[in-house]
Amino acid sequence: MTEHADSFNPKDYVPNLPRRPGVYRMYSAPRDDGPSSAGGGELLYVGKARNLRDRVGNYFLASNVDPKVQALVANIARIEVTLTNSETEALLLEYNLIKEHKPRYNIVLRDDKSFPYIYLPAGHEYPRLVFYRGSRNLPGRYFGPFPSAGAVKETLQSVQKIFRIRNCRDTFFENRSRPCLQHQIGRCSAPCVKLISREDYARDIAAAVKVLEGRNDEVHKELGMAMEKAAEALQFERAAALRDQMAALKQVQSQQIVTAEGDRDIDVFAQVGEPGEFSVSVMIIRGGRNLGSTCYFPKGTLAEPNEALASFLMQYYAETPPPAEILVNLELDEVDALTDALSTRAGSATRVWRPSRALPARWMAMSTENAEQALRMRRARRADIGDMLADLARLLRLGSVPQRLECFDISHTQGEGTVAACVVFGSEGPLKKEYRRFNITGVTPGDDYGALRQALRRRYERVKAGEVPAPDVLFIDGGQGQINEVHGELAALGFGGLKLVGVAKGPDRRVGQERLIIYDEGTLAPGPDSPGLRVVQRIRDEAHRFAITGHRKRRARRHNESVLETVPGLGPAKRRALLKHFGGMQGLMRAGVGDIETVSGIGTTLARTLYDHLHPGA
């Protein structure tokens, strides 16, 4: 059912809506330069309703004076609705539409990274535990999800320290002839050189798995029994090693903030703030153990708190199955539909509830405190950046406070592996998802001007096409020469009027002495106490960090490229067979053509080709 822009009238439209569950979509009038749907206009908001007539009608009541609602209503040119059989079906459809279109007024979870896990691969005699992020379709076991990469790494460190599980890659493991430094510092039992039997290593892996599952007490008991048996058999070194494992495990347990009885899997959500500025703290409990927490700041200006939290939960569990229990700090109007949807996604019963006492209430209080603290810090950071941007507007004589800044920098080593970096700052600081790197090719090595021109051309062709918004100010890490070169490229693309500023080091190259070279306007030296200069320093330093990181990665890939990869006809399987047969590159370098021929899959012609590549001029 659709109402078109030229005839939209809520008094005529709303009474014709059915009193049934469904999803409604609100659109603006079509614009020549903006995104639009098939029927024209931008999708402003997607909502669900138990009763479509009542829910949509609420937006147009004279008593609804909420400024955000009024801003939405003023832009509505048409409304479309889709009927569903139930609230649960409406909830799922709403989630799918928000995920696909990301409407301006809806709650949108902007962090689209998948959750980190600890992964135990299958099929290896001496497996290792590794950090993993991605689809869980590889053979093996997954432990998690964890709230952050830091939580995974901390857990891995603890488990590897207690049980001395290897952490090296399989290619490194398979080519060792003596223990590495990890064994020497007591962090690995050196299975690569068989200093531990397969059975003993398997026992350590099994104990580590139990710890990851939250069965610490069971592991502690097993270690105690094994220590007593070793002592009775006069195996005092083994008994001492088991004693040390017990002590390390006990120390890890003592560091746990809150531990529950049993093996409960619970996620705790606490949302604080107001429409347009919510903070959601997520605490993950697995096997009764608190794995830590992280905070999100979902984008959205219209949704009420309980509606925002329900939408957040649907998006949060898009990539990971919900646990058996989900605790929330708000009473959700649609808790039954939400429970049904999440249970369907989990493939088992999931309970969504608000705790009021005992340990769950303590978890909720802790999560709420984390959310409040994160929101306070975010507001303080925003106020600080706001002051700096206001001062920058004064320094550069801008008509208003800039909302988007870009900075470019170039990094290379004597012309090798040149990388250009573009970083973006907004009103709240770095917009890291909008950072971009450009691998520079086709310019004279060491030609920074040419590298800048290529990077600016590639970037601003996308800006011109409407794929990326133009900044209010463009900074270049460099002096007058770089600014002149950049301006010519920008002018050719139609951005000659863009505010262009070079950031040059002062006479002593000290922080605070930077000079701002404004194209066609002159040079400023704001001084070390200038708030505006501080934001320029931050974006300049971030561009430098991002550029040099990209350059180092590019250079490392080039330097680490094996000569074997350049041999025609030598694929990955044959390269592995050669390295395994000769024990590494040193053994292969000593081999003759006849020796190389003996490797499975390597014929006489390929052996000669490989030998010639390894010994040019021989």
Side-chain angles (χ1 to χ4, degrees):
M1 183 182 299
T2 305
E3 183 72 16
H4 295 285
D6 56 359
S7 59
F8 180 73
N9 185 335
K11 293 182 179 179
D12 295 334
Y13 180 71
V14 172
N16 293 315
L17 288 174
R19 298 184 183 275
R20 286 184 52 186
V23 170
Y24 55 92
R25 301 177 296 284
M26 297 175 169
Y27 293 87
S28 66
R31 286 186 353 184
D32 294 336
D33 59 345
S36 63
S37 68
E42 176 191 358
L43 179 59
L44 300 173
Y45 187 73
V46 175
K48 63 188 172 304
R50 180 184 309 163
N51 183 318
L52 279 169
R53 184 188 300 180
D54 291 348
R55 184 71 182 93
V56 174
N58 283 339
Y59 289 95
F60 302 99
L61 293 176
S63 57
N64 195 339
V65 294
D66 187 309
K68 297 182 180 67
V69 174
Q70 293 299 315
L72 171 65
V73 168
N75 286 303
I76 295 174
R78 64 187 175 94
I79 299 176
E80 296 180 356
V81 301
T82 301
L83 302 181
T84 60
N85 294 319
S86 65
E87 286 183 75
T88 302
E89 191 176 320
L91 185 67
L92 292 170
L93 177 57
E94 178 200 41
Y95 158 73
N96 289 329
L97 290 170
I98 292 173
K99 181 180 180 182
E100 180 179 357
H101 299 288
K102 296 180 173 55
R104 188 198 314 174
Y105 286 91
N106 279 101
I107 287 290
V108 177
L109 177 56
R110 304 187 73 173
D111 187 355
D112 55 1
K113 285 184 179 178
S114 57
F115 294 96
Y117 286 80
I118 290 176
Y119 173 49
L120 177 64
H124 201 288
E125 287 186 350
Y126 298 96
R128 65 187 184 121
L129 295 164
V130 296
F131 176 98
Y132 182 83
R133 196 194 291 271
S135 60
R136 292 178 294 146
N137 52 11
L138 297 176
R141 295 197 58 186
Y142 298 85
F143 305 93
F146 287 80
S148 64
V152 174
K153 293 171 183 176
E154 184 179 343
T155 302
L156 278 175
Q157 270 192 340
S158 299
V159 171
Q160 287 166 348
K161 181 178 180 181
I162 296 170
F163 301 107
R164 304 175 71 197
I165 305 298
R166 75 175 182 95
N167 63 359
C168 58
R169 296 180 181 274
D170 289 347
T171 52
F172 184 85
F173 174 85
E174 291 163 2
N175 292 286
R176 293 298 298 175
S177 59
R178 59 180 181 176
C180 67
L181 180 62
Q182 289 293 310
H183 173 72
Q184 296 176 30
I185 64 175
R187 290 294 183 91
C188 178
S189 53
C192 56
V193 291
K194 304 298 188 290
L195 291 188
I196 183 173
S197 69
R198 183 179 177 183
E199 293 74 19
D200 288 342
Y201 189 85
R203 277 194 290 269
D204 286 340
I205 282 287
V209 166
K210 289 179 181 178
V211 169
L212 292 173
E213 292 175 337
R215 297 153 62 186
N216 299 43
D217 293 337
E218 183 179 336
V219 175
H220 200 277
K221 184 177 180 180
E222 290 175 355
L223 291 175
M225 293 172 62
M227 182 182 68
E228 291 176 5
K229 288 182 180 179
E232 290 173 1
L234 304 182
Q235 298 175 350
F236 298 117
E237 288 187 4
R238 174 166 171 75
L242 291 167
R243 178 203 60 201
D244 293 342
Q245 278 189 333
M246 292 174 62
L249 180 59
K250 190 172 183 179
Q251 182 179 7
V252 169
Q253 285 179 294
S254 68
Q255 292 171 349
Q256 186 68 43
I257 300 173
V258 178
T259 300
E261 297 178 359
D263 57 353
R264 301 168 72 179
D265 288 352
I266 303 173
D267 286 349
V268 185
F269 293 84
Q271 176 182 283
V272 300
E274 56 191 18
E277 193 177 33
F278 289 119
S279 170
V280 182
S281 174
V282 184
M283 181 184 295
I284 296 179
I285 313 294
R286 290 296 180 270
R289 297 180 305 123
N290 181 355
L291 300 182
S293 65
T294 189
C295 281
Y296 297 86
F297 303 95
K299 169 184 161 295
T301 60
L302 190 64
E304 292 302 313
N306 57 358
E307 182 183 357
L309 183 54
S311 181
F312 177 88
L313 290 174
M314 288 296 297
Q315 294 178 62
Y316 182 88
Y317 289 114
E319 302 296 336
T320 188
E325 295 182 76
I326 299 172
L327 308 186
V328 294
N329 67 330
L330 303 175
E331 292 290 350
L332 302 181
D333 296 337
E334 56 218 7
V335 67
D336 292 337
L338 181 63
T339 300
D340 289 343
L342 294 179
S343 297
T344 301
R345 187 165 291 173
S348 59
T350 294
R351 181 188 178 200
V352 181
W353 60 290
R354 182 182 183 186
S356 59
R357 58 189 178 85
L359 185 56
R362 290 166 54 196
W363 277 328
M364 183 56 68
M366 187 184 306
S367 192
T368 302
E369 184 178 356
N370 289 336
E372 291 172 345
Q373 177 63 25
L375 188 58
R376 282 196 296 270
M377 292 177 64
R378 182 180 176 88
R379 285 171 173 169
R381 188 163 57 245
R382 182 185 297 164
D384 185 38
I385 292 175
D387 291 342
M388 290 190 286
L389 291 175
D391 189 64
L392 180 65
R394 180 189 61 79
L395 280 174
L396 302 181
R397 295 192 290 274
L398 303 175
S400 59
V401 176
Q403 299 300 306
R404 185 181 178 90
L405 310 175
E406 285 187 3
C407 183
F408 279 75
D409 192 17
I410 303 293
S411 181
H412 58 80
T413 300
Q414 297 181 342
E416 178 192 356
T418 304
V419 171
C422 170
V423 301
V424 184
F425 272 44
S427 58
E428 297 182 7
L431 303 176
K432 294 193 174 183
K433 288 189 179 181
E434 300 193 37
Y435 287 13
R436 293 295 181 269
R437 289 194 185 104
F438 304 90
N439 289 332
I440 303 301
T441 58
V443 301
T444 305
D447 181 6
D448 286 0
Y449 291 171
L452 270 173
R453 286 197 301 270
Q454 183 180 129
L456 266 294
R457 181 169 61 253
R458 290 162 62 182
R459 174 68 170 181
Y460 281 84
E461 282 175 349
R462 295 190 62 201
V463 175
K464 187 175 182 179
E467 299 175 24
V468 181
D472 298 313
V473 185
L474 173 60
F475 294 95
I476 303 294
D477 186 11
Q480 189 68 55
Q482 282 89 343
I483 292 299
N484 292 338
E485 290 288 331
V486 165
H487 184 266
E489 193 68 44
L490 290 173
L493 290 168
F495 293 96
L498 184 63
K499 195 76 170 185
L500 184 59
V501 180
V503 186
K505 296 180 176 63
D508 298 327
R509 303 179 69 86
R510 292 182 180 176
V511 175
Q513 294 183 350
E514 289 88 350
R515 290 174 295 120
L516 304 183
I517 304 169
I518 309 171
Y519 181 80
D520 215 21
E521 293 184 28
T523 301
L524 298 175
D529 297 328
S530 168
L533 181 60
R534 285 202 296 273
V535 75
V536 174
Q537 291 168 341
R538 284 182 60 181
I539 193 170
R540 185 269 319 272
D541 293 345
E542 182 70 350
H544 182 69
R545 177 200 66 79
F546 194 57
I548 200 169
T549 301
H551 162 63
R552 286 172 177 167
K553 288 180 179 178
R554 187 181 184 191
R555 188 179 60 184
R557 283 195 299 269
R558 182 173 178 179
H559 286 176
N560 291 336
E561 183 183 64
S562 171
V563 67
L564 298 182
E565 297 179 24
T566 65
V567 179
L570 197 63
K574 292 178 181 179
R575 291 199 298 267
R576 285 195 298 268
L578 284 164
L579 293 173
K580 187 173 184 180
H581 182 85
F582 293 106
M585 279 299 296
Q586 290 183 353
L588 181 57
M589 291 291 293
R590 292 192 295 266
V593 175
D595 298 321
I596 297 173
E597 286 180 17
T598 63
V599 179
S600 176
I602 308 294
T604 303
T605 303
L606 184 55
R608 169 54 64 182
T609 302
L610 173 58
Y611 184 85
D612 291 343
H613 269 76
L614 296 177
H615 306 279

